[in-house]
Amino acid sequence: MLSVSPREERADALVSRREYVRVEGLGKSFGPHRALDDINFAVRSGEVVAIIGPSGSGKSTLLRCLNQLETQSEGSVTLAGITIDAAKPATRQQLTELRRSAGMVFQSFNLFPHMSVLRNVSLPQERVLGRSRKEADERSRALLSRVGLEAKADQYPNRCSGGQQQRIAIARALALDPKIMLFDEPTSALDPELGLEVLAVMQELAEAGMTMIVVTHEMHFAETVSDRIIIMADGRIIEEGPSAEVMRRPTTERAQRFLNAVKNR
Amino acid sequence: MIDLLDFWRDSVPQLLDGLEVTLRITGVALALGIPLGLALALGVQSPTSSIRYPSLAIVEIGRGAPALILLQFAYFGLPSAGLSLSSFAAASMALAWTTGAYTSEIIRAGLQAVPRGQREAAVAVGMTHIDGLRFVIVPQAMRIAAPALLGFAVLMLQASSLCFAIALPELLSQAYIIGTNTFRYMPILCLAGALYAAICIPASLAVASIERELSRHTA
């Protein structure tokens, strides 16, 4: 292990940065089922936060509340200056602005299968940001080359491997110049080798200073790339802190149990 | 035998005129009916009840009433309400209604078959609901629905023969007129049937190959 990694240096500088995300008293119920309970945390600009925890602990639901794919039952979410409170319904304009500020990457990629790779990346720019076709295509090609897939621009998504599709999905989200990127188990649908190429792109993004929240089962990524780790279980945050500390010295018994289970395999 | 072939040869021009009307009325019914079907499919899913209930009513009446009744309603019924339509206009209206009602169910199934993740992706990239439908959901739904819609188009071509009841000079009417004049119903109806088959069988084969083509870029 490096004693002072660039990441740790960065973490020191982070304290003074402004907050991009603040979650206060967030709760979500599906009928009688309590998916999230009293969630509070904040993410500063440039920070990379990994959310880990057992399946069904509410990680994905939390992430989906951040860009309002799910609406919370209680509490508020503030993202890039827009506050959405459970008490009053969000306006359409707020939602559009919120989603424009937050790029989302899904476990199942969700590329549009009836469009070429280039159209997948360009269409949202044209419709959401009002860029011209030419501008959008230029930006798309630049982003596709950033994720190493210029050559695939004119292919259809189903001609690409899962790892390539996920990198295209990342390019599509980046094309809207988001302030923060949300990743919902981006490598869970991929075999380990293809997962690596996606993780490499994410690491490059993190190093370039992108603010990121990553729901993941990739413990190595969580430990080495993220600045902070949040561990969730049963809809609550049970442990939160700098990555190395949380991974090596978890304080709660539940977190220890979870980390033992994922590390000893 | 020679006599029969002569009869058929003499009848062909009149039947082809009828076939042209058949194709035109089918084309108009589909051109109006399928967009109507899409609108109704979206309408019955609308959260707004002032859109949903009228859409449901149009669909249920269109599917519940036989096409023959709708045809006669448009041609014989509407004049008493002060609206006189030519037989072609009445047939267009009635068959477009039937087409809209049936295809709305086909398209609705197509809309529901588009994976949920597609809707979420459209929302997550900040597209409006309308944009999401227009660029993401509807194109995929129509691709899924296309084989069934084309199959329905072939059925409508056959159903257009019902227009014979409102004196539209389509293929069956023409055959019937020839039959009435010559009393040779059997041979002329066989020839008319052969002409329907000459369109429908290649059309069905084309549907199968289009189906293969469309399945190439699905998820």
Side-chain angles (χ1 to χ4, degrees):
Chain A
M1 278 303 150
L2 295 169
S3 55
V4 180
S5 69
R7 185 170 49 80
E8 278 165 28
E9 277 173 32
R10 217 161 53 106
D12 293 336
L14 279 173
V15 182
S16 58
R17 303 244 194 121
R18 53 186 285 240
E19 258 176 29
Y20 263 13
V21 176
R22 169 162 286 277
V23 173
E24 284 176 328
L26 190 79
K28 172 76 183 172
S29 303
F30 294 102
H33 175 64
R34 198 89 181 112
L36 294 175
D37 196 19
D38 192 28
I39 304 283
N40 296 283
F41 70 94
V43 179
R44 287 174 188 280
S45 139
E47 223 179 348
V48 178
V49 175
I51 303 179
I52 61 176
S55 298
S57 58
K59 311 181 295 288
S60 291
T61 308
L62 172 57
L63 199 70
R64 292 161 59 84
C65 281
L66 293 181
N67 73 347
Q68 296 290 301
L69 278 179
E70 303 284 358
T71 47
Q72 67 267 31
S73 315
E74 302 111 46
S76 69
V77 170
T78 305
L79 194 147
I82 303 147
T83 301
I84 311 252
D85 201 292
K88 54 173 192 282
T91 64
R92 195 167 292 185
Q93 199 198 343
Q94 276 184 313
L95 288 176
T96 308
E97 218 164 302
L98 180 86
R99 284 162 184 156
R100 194 185 293 181
S101 313
M104 178 94 173
V105 175
F106 298 90
Q107 180 177 350
S108 50
F109 331 134
N110 294 349
L111 293 176
F112 306 134
H114 59 300
M115 295 177 200
S116 70
V117 166
L118 187 67
R119 286 308 292 152
N120 261 279
V121 185
S122 291
L123 179 74
Q125 301 177 57
E126 291 168 28
R127 301 306 303 177
V128 179
L129 301 181
R131 286 183 185 148
S132 71
R133 180 92 172 231
K134 188 164 159 289
E135 268 179 301
D137 282 352
E138 241 165 62
R139 177 97 173 101
S140 302
R141 286 189 193 277
L143 283 168
L144 286 172
S145 77
R146 185 174 173 189
V147 299
L149 292 170
E150 290 162 281
K152 292 283 180 185
D154 300 313
Q155 297 270 13
Y156 280 84
N158 67 352
R159 306 285 296 168
C160 301
S161 73
Q164 291 170 339
Q165 291 193 40
Q166 193 60 296
R167 283 144 67 199
I168 296 161
I170 293 173
R172 179 174 70 180
L174 288 174
L176 297 170
D177 302 323
K179 296 206 171 76
I180 179 169
M181 288 283 285
L182 310 175
F183 293 86
D184 189 3
E185 302 197 21
T187 57
S188 296
L190 301 171
D191 70 45
E193 216 173 2
L194 295 179
L196 271 184
E197 59 186 53
V198 173
L199 293 173
V201 167
M202 290 168 62
Q203 180 159 11
E204 192 259 337
L205 265 181
E207 279 160 8
M210 176 59 78
T211 313
M212 293 164 56
I213 301 181
V214 186
V215 169
T216 188
H217 290 296
E218 303 274 357
M219 292 306 140
H220 185 70
F221 179 89
E223 183 166 0
T224 58
V225 180
S226 66
D227 303 299
R228 270 197 303 138
I229 289 180
I230 290 174
I231 305 183
M232 291 184 67
D234 307 318
R236 294 166 169 276
I237 293 179
I238 54 169
E239 186 109 17
E240 181 188 2
S243 302
E245 233 169 82
V246 170
M247 289 300 267
R248 281 172 221 156
R249 288 180 295 276
T251 53
T252 61
E253 187 273 335
R254 181 72 185 89
Q256 283 165 7
R257 202 148 36 97
F258 172 71
L259 287 173
N260 277 336
V262 290
K263 280 177 177 169
N264 300 335
R265 55 189 300 132
Chain B
M1 187 66 202
I2 300 291
D3 177 46
L4 178 66
L5 290 177
D6 280 345
F7 172 62
W8 275 353
R9 198 191 57 219
D10 294 341
S11 310
V12 159
Q14 200 181 341
L15 287 189
L16 286 181
D17 285 348
L19 183 61
E20 194 199 321
V21 175
T22 292
L23 291 174
R24 269 181 32 224
I25 188 66
T26 309
V28 170
L30 295 172
L32 296 175
I34 292 178
L36 176 67
L38 174 59
L40 290 171
L42 295 170
V44 296
Q45 293 184 342
S46 169
T48 316
S49 51
S50 60
I51 296 174
R52 189 170 66 248
Y53 289 116
S55 303
L56 265 174
I58 296 171
V59 170
E60 291 311 322
I61 295 169
R63 295 200 310 156
L68 189 54
I69 301 232
L70 291 178
L71 280 166
Q72 295 189 327
F73 169 75
Y75 190 61
F76 300 116
L78 284 183
S80 59
L83 184 63
S84 290
L85 296 174
S86 70
S87 60
F88 191 84
S92 305
M93 204 196 99
L95 293 184
W97 189 351
T98 304
T99 304
Y102 278 97
T103 57
S104 80
E105 288 294 295
I106 296 172
I107 294 169
R108 195 172 60 86
L111 288 168
Q112 282 173 350
V114 176
R116 196 180 138 83
Q118 292 291 311
R119 233 166 279 243
E120 290 188 343
V123 168
V125 294
M127 285 199 219
T128 60
H129 181 65
I130 299 288
D131 271 3
L133 283 177
R134 177 174 157 203
F135 294 104
V136 178
I137 307 302
V138 170
Q140 294 186 63
M142 292 308 276
R143 240 164 258 242
I144 295 167
L149 287 177
L150 290 166
F152 183 79
V154 174
L155 275 178
M156 274 319 282
L157 182 86
Q158 296 168 351
S160 71
S161 62
L162 292 170
C163 298
F164 135 87
I166 59 167
L168 183 73
E170 45 70 62
L171 181 51
L172 181 64
S173 305
Q174 299 286 13
Y176 192 73
I177 291 166
I178 295 171
T180 317
N181 290 337
T182 60
F183 291 106
R184 299 175 75 173
Y185 286 104
M186 184 65 179
I188 198 66
L189 287 174
C190 285
L191 184 58
L195 284 176
Y196 277 114
I199 303 280
C200 292
I201 293 172
S204 301
L205 294 175
V207 170
S209 82
I210 289 168
E211 196 169 342
R212 278 193 297 278
E213 181 64 23
L214 282 174
S215 63
R216 277 176 53 203
H217 295 305
T218 49

